[in-house]
Structures are given as C-alpha cells and as structure tokens.
Amino acid sequence: MSFPHKQPYTSEDYWNLPEGQRAELIDGQFYDMSPPDYIHQKLVSVLHYAIFHHIKTKNGSCEVIPAPFAVNLNADDSTWVEPDLSVICDKNKLSKRGCKGAPDWIIEIASPGSSRTDYIIKLFKYRTAGVREYWIVNPMKKIVQTYSFGEEENSCLYSFTDEIPVCTFPGFTIKISELI
C-alpha cells in the first residue's frame, strides 16, 4: 500500500494508519510490512515459548512480547517499529501503547522482503537506540546472526542446529532445530 507523499511522518501518522495496515516508522519514513507466512509465525511462536519458559522458570521479571507490538525505539516522534519478539526487562518502559525506549533483546525473523531492513536499517537503529542484543533468524538459509551491543560488541553466525548463547540471560541457549 502506498503512503501519501507527506514526509517526514510522525507518531500521529503511525497511530492513524488504516485498520489492518501494518507498517513501521523509521526516522520519519514508513516501511510497509508484508503478512508473515507459516514458518515465520511458527518461529515466532516457538522462540516466544522458549524465552517465556526460561524467564518463568528462573522467576525472572522480564517480559517477552511478540508482534504486533509497537516499540517507540528512541522514545521520540519519528520511529515506531514492530519487532517479531521484544524482551523488555525494565517494566517502566511498558505502556498501554507498547514500549517506550529500547527493549533489551530483539529478534527479527527475516523474509525476502525484509532482509535489507533487518540486516542494515534496523541493525543500525537497534544498536544506536541501546538494544543490548539483536538476533536475525533467517529461515530461508537456516542461520541466525546474533549481535551483542554490551561493553564488548560481538557478532556471531549460527546454524539452526547450533546451541546459540543468549547474552541477555547468561547460561541460557537456544537450539532452533529442537524447537521446530
């Protein structure tokens, strides 16, 4: 769906999108979102469950929330994203409208139409906004690219059959091939 030629767009434009239209607002520009397919939704579901289960069994206080869920990434008027999974450990960031500020950990499930946004635009935005950990799960290639933006920045590439360490929760690993 096309957007009017007005730019830059603001929070008001984002919240007034027509019913059923999904888009993300990044630096005042809209990025249309395609409907997710079966494998995308299955990955969101199993990863959500694995992370939720880990937090619950450790009596953790973090929240794991699947899309659609609005994240006002920089707590400003020009950027609203909808990560596939958001892990938020500071409950003061949660409001009726979503998350105000950077989640601790974000997972995006890549699709052919979202690769440029996930691997370039969002990588930069998430890092500069203060996201501590970012995963891009690529079901087409069966790989996971992880980024840690802590004191020591790190990037690793894993296959679905690898035990992937979760920086946000030391000692916790996820093996995607066991979940799907």
Side-chain angles (χ1 to χ4, degrees):
M1 179 168 284
S2 64
F3 299 97
H5 294 295
K6 171 192 172 200
Q7 283 202 6
Y9 296 100
T10 65
S11 296
E12 181 180 351
D13 299 310
Y14 174 78
W15 286 103
N16 287 312
L17 286 171
E19 182 77 27
Q21 182 177 3
R22 289 188 61 213
E24 293 178 302
L25 179 65
I26 301 174
D27 293 330
Q29 181 178 343
F30 274 120
Y31 292 83
D32 210 6
M33 298 174 70
S34 300
D37 63 14
Y38 165 73
I39 191 65
H40 180 282
Q41 289 305 95
K42 181 168 180 154
L43 283 165
V44 168
S45 179
V46 298
L47 287 167
H48 177 269
Y49 175 78
I51 298 164
F52 175 83
H53 181 71
H54 174 78
I55 293 169
K56 188 82 167 160
T57 59
K58 299 293 183 188
N59 294 317
S61 61
C62 299
E63 297 273 352
V64 56
I65 304 172
F69 179 70
V71 173
N72 187 206
L73 193 58
N74 299 311
D76 65 12
D77 199 40
S78 67
T79 301
W80 288 86
V81 293
E82 292 186 20
D84 291 312
L85 287 169
S86 299
V87 177
I88 301 126
C89 297
D90 179 355
K91 291 194 179 185
N92 291 322
K93 291 182 178 182
L94 296 171
S95 74
K96 182 179 176 181
R97 280 210 156 162
C99 179
K100 188 170 185 165
D104 295 272
W105 179 19
I106 288 177
I107 298 176
E108 295 283 7
I109 311 301
S111 65
S114 73
S115 291
R116 180 180 175 275
T117 306
D118 293 337
Y119 284 98
I120 299 170
I121 297 168
K122 287 184 178 179
L123 171 62
F124 175 76
K125 291 302 291 183
Y126 292 162
R127 180 182 174 270
T128 57
V131 172
R132 294 185 355 215
E133 184 169 5
Y134 176 41
W135 287 19
I136 304 171
V137 178
N138 187 322
M140 291 90 53
K141 296 182 179 181
K142 295 189 179 350
I143 57 171
V144 179
Q145 182 73 50
T146 66
Y147 299 91
S148 173
F149 303 125
E151 288 181 26
E152 287 189 34
E153 291 194 10
N154 191 19
S155 173
C156 295
L157 184 65
Y158 298 95
S159 78
F160 277 22
T161 59
D162 292 330
E163 293 279 344
I164 306 170
V166 177
C167 298
T168 303
F169 305 113
F172 177 42
T173 62
I174 294 176
K175 189 173 186 177
I176 293 178
S177 63
E178 290 181 352
L179 299 176
I180 55 176

